[in-house]
Amino acid sequence: MSASIKESLQLQLLEMEMLFSMFPNQGEVKLEDINALTNIKRYLEGTREALPPNIEFVITLQIEEPKVTIDLQVTMPHSYPYVALQLFGRSPELDRQQQLLLNQGLSAYLATFDPGELCVCAAIQWLQDNSASYFLTRKLSDEPSVRAKPVKNTFLRMWIYSHHIYQQDLRKKILEVGKRLDVTGFCMTGKPGIICVEGFKNHCEEFWHTIRYPNWKHISCKHAESVETEGDGEDLRLFHSFEELLLEAHGDYGLRNDYHMNLGQFLEFLRKHKSEHVFQILFGIESKSSES
């Protein structure tokens, strides 16, 4: 076991203890995997050989002025605090522009920390001390007398290929992450497994980071499409929600590990969503016919 990883995980457990003491009420710190801390302790004790998944959790912060809430989503890489923490704050009271500015400010603050410094508690304090100005800015921008300058954002669409997607817990996580973030697209379950996610760049990258299990080896982003926009990106979306796509398997055997999904049906699906060109990128064959 790497000494640096061991030391990092020990520090992460220490910081989690601090957070649970700061937020003692049930549900204030919501772990993505309720067994995450137990698995890390077992790994450190030597009773678990495999490196445990990253600690991922959400803390809901109550901001006093104005009376709003911020959900802070945190992912601790195995080498944190010696590598950067991954976190993202969101609030239903913020529009996309202000939420982006809030996270940029938070990231800039965390960049001032030296490697080895724990910073989740500091991030929470920063949000409590500084977030009010972002809500105020939004309120002012809503006034007709104030014209905010348009902010350019990158709209991104990622096409992700996996050898297969079968496991129920993985399918559940993909759907939950897709619906939690402001992204649209689909997850085609079966063999092969295809995921399309579209939205603002930071949301898509957060989705991509979150769904990749440490041991999910047979997955890659085959193609990405991006465009600069000053709007909300709604006119750029090819999909209206994030849903699971279930197609027929060859031979009508249903979802089984040794049966390929009906790629003819998938091609028709892509055509309906103006994405036929991706078929050759994903599979290396031209989409000459809709027949499977």
Side-chain angles (χ1 to χ4, degrees):
M1 174 165 48
S2 169
S4 60
I5 294 293
K6 179 179 179 180
E7 181 181 354
S8 298
L9 294 178
Q10 289 172 335
L11 289 172
Q12 291 179 26
L13 290 179
L14 175 63
E15 187 162 39
M16 293 306 299
E17 290 181 9
M18 296 166 56
L19 290 173
F20 282 119
S21 66
M22 292 172 58
F23 300 91
N25 296 326
Q26 185 175 4
E28 288 184 309
V29 180
K30 298 181 281 290
L31 287 166
E32 291 286 337
D33 180 358
I34 60 175
N35 298 315
L37 304 187
T38 300
N39 288 332
I40 287 179
K41 290 176 182 178
R42 290 174 54 203
Y43 179 76
L44 293 174
E45 293 166 355
T47 58
R48 174 191 171 105
E49 294 183 3
L51 189 64
N54 295 326
I55 299 176
E56 298 179 271
F57 59 92
V58 177
I59 297 179
T60 299
L61 304 178
Q62 304 291 334
I63 308 301
E64 293 302 319
E65 184 60 40
K67 289 283 186 181
V68 294
T69 62
I70 297 177
D71 285 338
L72 181 63
Q73 181 177 345
V74 181
T75 299
M76 293 179 171
H78 290 128
S79 295
Y80 166 79
Y82 297 99
V83 300
L85 185 71
Q86 296 167 1
L87 76 175
F88 189 86
R90 61 167 51 84
S91 172
E93 302 299 324
L94 288 175
D95 60 27
R96 291 191 182 97
Q97 177 186 343
Q98 297 310 314
Q99 188 163 271
L100 178 63
L101 292 174
L102 172 71
N103 283 284
Q104 288 176 342
L106 178 58
S107 296
Y109 170 67
L110 294 181
T112 65
F113 282 71
D114 293 328
E117 289 188 88
L118 298 171
C119 56
V120 177
C121 295
I124 292 171
Q125 189 63 53
W126 187 91
L127 286 170
Q128 292 173 334
D129 294 341
N130 297 277
S131 61
S133 61
Y134 294 91
F135 292 93
L136 177 61
T137 302
R138 181 193 177 192
K139 182 178 179 180
L140 291 174
S141 66
D142 289 339
E143 298 292 332
S145 59
V146 177
R147 294 185 178 181
K149 294 182 179 179
V151 175
K152 287 187 177 181
N153 289 306
T154 300
F155 185 88
L156 180 65
R157 183 176 301 109
M158 302 175 68
W159 295 92
I160 299 166
Y161 180 95
S162 175
H163 179 264
H164 62 269
I165 300 177
Y166 288 113
Q167 296 180 5
Q168 289 291 341
D169 58 341
L170 177 57
R171 293 163 60 186
K172 181 180 178 182
K173 179 167 185 173
I174 292 171
L175 286 176
E176 287 177 347
V177 174
K179 292 181 178 180
R180 185 178 75 237
L181 299 173
D182 188 20
V183 297
T184 51
F186 66 89
C187 171
M188 185 178 84
T189 300
K191 179 181 180 181
I194 305 295
I195 302 172
C196 175
V197 57
E198 59 178 9
F200 282 133
K201 182 173 182 288
N202 59 320
H203 294 152
C204 291
E205 290 179 344
E206 182 183 355
F207 173 92
W208 176 228
H209 166 76
T210 304
I211 68 165
R212 292 184 69 182
Y213 281 19
N215 59 349
W216 195 355
K217 299 178 181 178
H218 303 292
I219 184 172
S220 62
C221 179
K222 282 289 191 76
H223 183 57
E225 303 159 343
S226 64
V227 61
E228 296 295 321
T229 178
E230 293 180 351
D232 58 10
E234 293 302 316
D235 59 324
L236 300 173
R237 296 182 187 269
L238 299 179
F239 305 91
H240 301 296
S241 60
F242 190 88
E243 302 292 344
E244 185 173 55
L245 176 62
L246 288 172
L247 301 179
E248 295 177 0
H250 285 302
D252 295 328
Y253 290 97
L255 282 179
R256 282 181 47 181
N257 292 3
D258 52 348
Y259 287 93
H260 287 264
M261 304 313 295
N262 191 314
L263 296 186
Q265 289 185 356
F266 182 54
L267 175 57
E268 285 301 310
F269 174 80
L270 292 178
R271 284 175 173 157
K272 290 179 181 178
H273 292 86
K274 302 177 182 179
S275 302
E276 181 180 354
H277 65 286
V278 180
F279 191 86
Q280 184 174 4
I281 296 173
L282 292 172
F283 306 111
I285 55 178
E286 295 184 10
S287 55
K288 295 180 179 179
S289 171
S290 63
E291 297 177 1
S292 59

